[in-house]
Amino acid sequence: MLIKSLLKEKLINSRNKVRAFFFIIFTYVLFFVFQSLLVPKWNYPDFREYLTKSMSDFRKLKKNSVEAIFLGSSHVGEEISPMQIYIESGVTTYNQGTPLQSTDGSLFLLYETFKTQAPKYVFLDVNSFFLSPKSGEEGRTFLLDSSPLSKEKIRLAVACGNGGGIKANIFSNTENLISALFPLYKYHVNWTKLKKTNFTFDISNSEHMYSTFGFDMYSSYAGEPLLWTDLNDIEYQMLAAMDSPFFDGKINESYVRKLKNTDAVYNNHITNESMIYLKKIKEVCDKKGAILVLSKNPVAMFPNLYRSSWTKSKSSEVKKIASELGVDFLDLQYDFDLGIDYKKDFKDFGQHLNYYGDKKVSSFFASYLKDRCKPSYNQFYSENIEKYNRQVSVALLQLERDFCEYVNLLKNFPDEICVLMAVNDCGIESLTEAEKIALHTIGIESQYFATWPNSFIGIVDNGIVQLDMRSNQSIEFSYNIDDKKIRLMSKGFLQNGGQCSIKINSEEFAICRRGLNIAIYDKKSKTVIDSVCFDFHEKEHEAQRQAHLTHKKLREYMEYLISENMEI
């Protein structure tokens, strides 16, 4: 009986241990599933932030397959194309740029890089050198939310918990440290804000990889940036004004911020924290046998509005430091002529370059690396060239402002697109002969636009005109593409002042501004790749778009390119 009792007790204990084990496993899985729901979906196209997937993709690369990496903030992530570099030079690179990347964040990514790669060159953007440690808090949060647990992550979490200070220690701010390592702690309140996107499949876990290799391509444009000379004149005046307590008879807010030593103060000197982390980055590169190169891409935004504005005084500071460290500094704004077009190559009033500018910057680095690295064939990069070129074709279409060139670019999508058109108000009666010919090439008879004011709707599907309708009354038409329901509507100026609509499954894709509104539906990806309006009533006849929606369309097309069912 005693033996039987002991065996029974042992069996019960064993069962309890098994139950406890599975309970722990279940709790662990439940914790991380719940955490993944509440943590912001950095990779979803509705957000401005970079795709988390670009970081997970880097960890999937074949070991020691990358010759160079690029570290830095959005001025790197949005402006340097590894694929463009590979196409032009045969050198494999990866873009490790992330939003608001701080210098300690760059050090973190450098440690992560050398776990799987042995790059010969490490390019470090110098933008973060001039920003206070606290200003990089959001950038650190992104890195922490997007990275697996590691010794380097704990180190960055400690810095994040202490505002990025160099004297940070693990006990200084335990609450911030826990938040950094376990995002659920800070995002638990998000359960009241759950949306459909929170339950969307996280594409960062997909086995497929982006063909951009960390590069976040932008195809929008907005405003005219400053000339380099104006930029430096404004900085000089601003710095001089910061030393005066009064400006135009009022209290000078810049002077007050300077006295308080706040993060809002414009700074043209490298911070102490950045210098310490920069020296650590140099030490790591030397230890691993990599060559560190400092770099800066063009930025032409008002210094008083944008602290990352790039001026000659900042450039001089970096040149001194580069000389002390014995590293090269590539200032692509003041020391090299890339042929940057102020009117076309910036996407947001001079803060960042768009694809036009990105290609010029990437070509520079391709030439630089081609002279220093031995080009080699990489099967994985080569296999992605076609995908990348498809994405570039969409970007070029979205960037084009001239109507005739726009129509010409549509030829890059043979038998794949449906062109949907609707006129709002008027603004189409001033077509040039070249523009009339352009319309005729896609099958639309331009004489329809001779009478003012008109209503007009048109559909060109796979190069075949399905609808070419003009009237002096309001007109509507419905059309089906696969499982999509299309509804077009046009009202000229005399019909209630003019309106138009291009709806696909009840979602509006017309810009709804005066002129010829166009939406390009790609039948393979089942997405709208561009929405544009050409106002021929205006003198320049230039395209009008909504920048944030343009980038969203490009992101959605990129999502399609990596999907499992993609066929090229």
Side-chain angles (χ1 to χ4, degrees):
M1 290 293 294
L2 179 60
I3 295 175
K4 188 176 181 180
S5 177
L6 289 173
L7 288 174
K8 185 177 180 180
E9 183 179 347
K10 188 175 182 179
L11 181 61
I12 292 173
N13 289 336
S14 297
R15 288 176 178 174
N16 288 338
K17 288 179 181 180
V18 171
R19 289 170 181 169
F21 173 77
F22 281 106
F23 176 78
I24 292 171
I25 295 297
F26 176 77
T27 304
Y28 178 85
V29 172
L30 186 63
F31 174 84
F32 282 99
V33 168
F34 191 54
Q35 177 172 270
S36 67
L37 288 175
L38 299 182
V39 171
K41 283 286 194 295
W42 299 94
N43 65 305
Y44 199 74
D46 283 343
F47 289 88
R48 180 189 64 83
E49 290 84 353
Y50 291 94
L51 302 170
T52 304
K53 181 168 174 53
S54 66
M55 294 184 65
S56 63
D57 278 357
F58 182 78
R59 294 189 286 270
K60 297 174 187 175
L61 288 173
K62 184 179 178 181
K63 190 173 182 180
N64 299 332
S65 62
V66 172
E67 295 285 316
I69 63 164
F70 296 91
L71 298 171
S73 64
S74 54
H75 297 108
V76 170
E78 297 175 10
E79 298 180 3
I80 299 176
S81 169
M83 184 54 75
Q84 187 68 40
I85 293 172
Y86 178 73
I87 291 171
E88 295 185 20
S89 69
V91 178
T92 55
T93 65
Y94 202 91
N95 190 325
Q96 291 273 54
T98 56
L100 298 169
Q101 188 178 121
S102 56
T103 313
D104 57 327
S106 298
L107 177 62
F108 163 75
L109 287 173
L110 188 64
Y111 282 128
E112 291 292 306
T113 294
F114 283 118
K115 289 180 178 180
T116 57
Q117 301 294 329
K120 294 181 177 66
Y121 282 86
V122 173
F123 294 92
L124 176 63
D125 183 81
V126 301
N127 176 66
S128 64
F129 292 5
F130 300 89
L131 303 179
S132 69
K134 289 185 179 180
S135 64
E137 184 176 344
E138 185 177 345
R140 293 186 192 92
T141 298
F142 171 81
L143 291 175
L144 291 167
D145 288 353
S146 308
S147 304
L149 186 63
S150 67
K151 179 177 66 176
E152 289 73 25
K153 179 173 181 176
I154 294 174
R155 184 186 290 118
L156 183 63
V158 171
C160 186
N162 292 272
I166 57 175
K167 295 182 180 180
N169 66 76
I170 199 166
F171 303 108
S172 299
N173 196 327
T174 306
E175 184 175 352
N176 283 353
L177 177 61
I178 294 173
S179 296
L181 292 176
F182 302 102
L184 179 62
Y185 185 80
K186 61 185 170 185
Y187 294 127
H188 67 277
V189 294
N190 284 2
W191 70 272
T192 60
K193 306 173 185 177
L194 288 176
K195 299 178 181 179
K196 180 181 178 181
T197 55
N198 292 92
F199 297 91
T200 303
F201 167 67
D202 188 354
I203 202 164
S204 65
N205 294 321
S206 169
E207 63 181 83
H208 299 280
M209 296 174 65
Y210 286 148
S211 59
T212 52
F213 298 95
F215 168 50
D216 191 18
M217 188 185 297
Y218 272 80
S219 54
S220 55
Y221 49 85
E224 250 181 83
L226 292 170
L227 296 173
W228 303 157
T229 51
D230 296 336
L231 191 85
N232 290 287
D233 288 343
I234 290 175
E235 185 199 49
Y236 176 80
Q237 297 172 23
M238 185 177 65
L239 291 173
M242 283 172 61
D243 293 327
S244 174
F246 297 98
F247 186 74
D248 284 345
K250 300 178 182 178
I251 294 177
N252 187 357
E253 292 298 327
S254 295
Y255 179 79
V256 174
R257 288 196 295 268
K258 184 177 179 181
L259 287 179
K260 292 181 178 180
N261 193 30
T262 68
D263 295 328
V265 176
Y266 178 82
N267 177 42
N268 66 337
H269 297 292
I270 299 175
T271 65
N272 293 332
E273 288 82 2
S274 292
M275 272 305 305
I276 290 174
Y277 287 120
L278 173 58
K279 289 178 180 179
K280 288 184 179 180
I281 289 173
K282 179 66 165 61
E283 289 175 6
V284 174
C285 287
D286 289 345
K287 184 179 179 180
K288 296 292 185 177
I291 298 173
L292 175 65
V293 179
L294 305 182
S295 65
K296 189 69 198 84
N297 295 342
V299 181
M301 181 60 170
F302 291 91
N304 55 323
L305 299 178
Y306 190 53
R307 285 179 294 169
S308 294
S309 181
W310 189 243
T311 59
K312 283 189 174 180
S313 64
K314 290 182 176 180
S315 181
S316 297
E317 282 268 315
V318 176
K319 285 176 180 177
K320 292 177 185 177
I321 299 303
S323 178
E324 292 175 9
L325 294 176
V327 300
D328 287 341
F329 171 46
L330 307 176
D331 188 335
L332 275 58
Q333 180 157 313
Y334 296 113
D335 296 339
F336 299 91
D337 184 7
L338 303 186
I340 296 295
D341 188 326
Y342 289 84
K343 294 183 178 180
K344 294 184 177 181
D345 294 351
F346 288 94
K347 74 178 181 69
D348 47 10
F349 300 94
Q351 295 179 55
H352 302 86
L353 297 168
N354 58 30
Y355 175 72
Y356 286 153
D358 300 340
K359 186 175 181 181
K360 295 173 182 178
V361 168
S362 301
S363 293
F364 172 87
F365 283 110
S367 177
Y368 184 90
L369 288 168
K370 190 174 183 179
D371 294 337
R372 293 164 175 80
C373 297
K374 184 179 180 180
S376 61
Y377 174 80
N378 183 291
Q379 182 178 353
F380 183 63
Y381 275 67
S382 297
E383 288 174 351
N384 277 277
I385 290 177
E386 191 170 359
K387 295 182 191 177
Y388 179 76
N389 287 336
R390 292 282 296 276
Q391 186 179 344
V392 168
S393 295
V394 173
L396 290 174
L397 185 71
Q398 294 175 341
L399 279 166
E400 187 54 61
R401 306 187 204 186
D402 179 80
F403 180 72
C404 295
E405 288 299 321
Y406 186 84
V407 172
N408 188 53
L409 286 174
L410 293 178
K411 297 175 183 177
N412 293 331
F413 305 89
D415 303 326
E416 298 176 7
I417 60 172
C418 182
V419 182
L420 307 170
M421 297 169 280
V423 162
N424 180 10
D425 195 335
C426 58
I428 57 172
E429 73 281 358
S430 301
L431 287 167
T432 65
E433 286 304 314
E435 289 163 345
K436 291 177 181 178
I437 293 173
L439 273 173
H440 184 72
T441 60
I442 60 174
I444 301 300
E445 297 301 324
S446 58
Q447 64 263 28
Y448 279 10
F449 300 136
T451 306
W452 180 91
N454 315 297
S455 297
F456 167 78
I457 50 179
I459 298 175
V460 181
D461 192 352
N462 281 0
I464 300 173
V465 178
Q466 300 291 346
L467 180 68
D468 188 350
M469 184 184 299
R470 195 263 323 174
S471 174
N472 58 6
Q473 301 294 324
S474 173
I475 50 178
E476 296 184 20
F477 188 81
S478 295
Y479 186 74
N480 291 331
I481 304 177
D482 299 327
D483 59 341
K484 306 289 184 181
K485 294 182 179 179
I486 314 295
R487 178 182 174 276
L488 305 182
M489 182 272 290
S490 174
K491 292 183 180 181
F493 177 75
L494 297 180
Q495 290 87 45
N496 299 319
Q499 296 177 37
C500 80
S501 177
I502 302 175
K503 288 186 176 181
I504 302 177
N505 285 356
S506 300
E507 183 177 354
E508 184 63 70
F509 286 97
I511 300 297
C512 297
R513 295 180 184 174
R514 182 181 64 185
L516 179 61
N517 287 255
I518 301 174
I520 308 297
Y521 179 78
D522 181 78
K523 301 177 75 172
K524 282 194 172 183
S525 64
K526 296 187 177 182
T527 62
V528 172
I529 58 176
D530 192 29
S531 293
V532 61
C533 175
F534 290 93
D535 186 356
F536 296 111
H537 186 73
E538 290 290 338
K539 182 179 179 181
E540 300 298 329
H541 292 194
E542 279 198 354
Q544 302 174 61
R545 292 180 175 87
Q546 295 173 315
H548 68 289
L549 293 179
T550 297
H551 186 56
K552 178 185 176 183
K553 292 178 177 67
L554 189 62
R555 278 271 181 88
E556 289 174 343
Y557 189 73
M558 185 162 62
E559 299 291 333
Y560 155 72
L561 288 177
I562 66 166
S563 64
E564 293 184 9
N565 296 324
M566 187 196 68
E567 296 180 2
I568 292 182

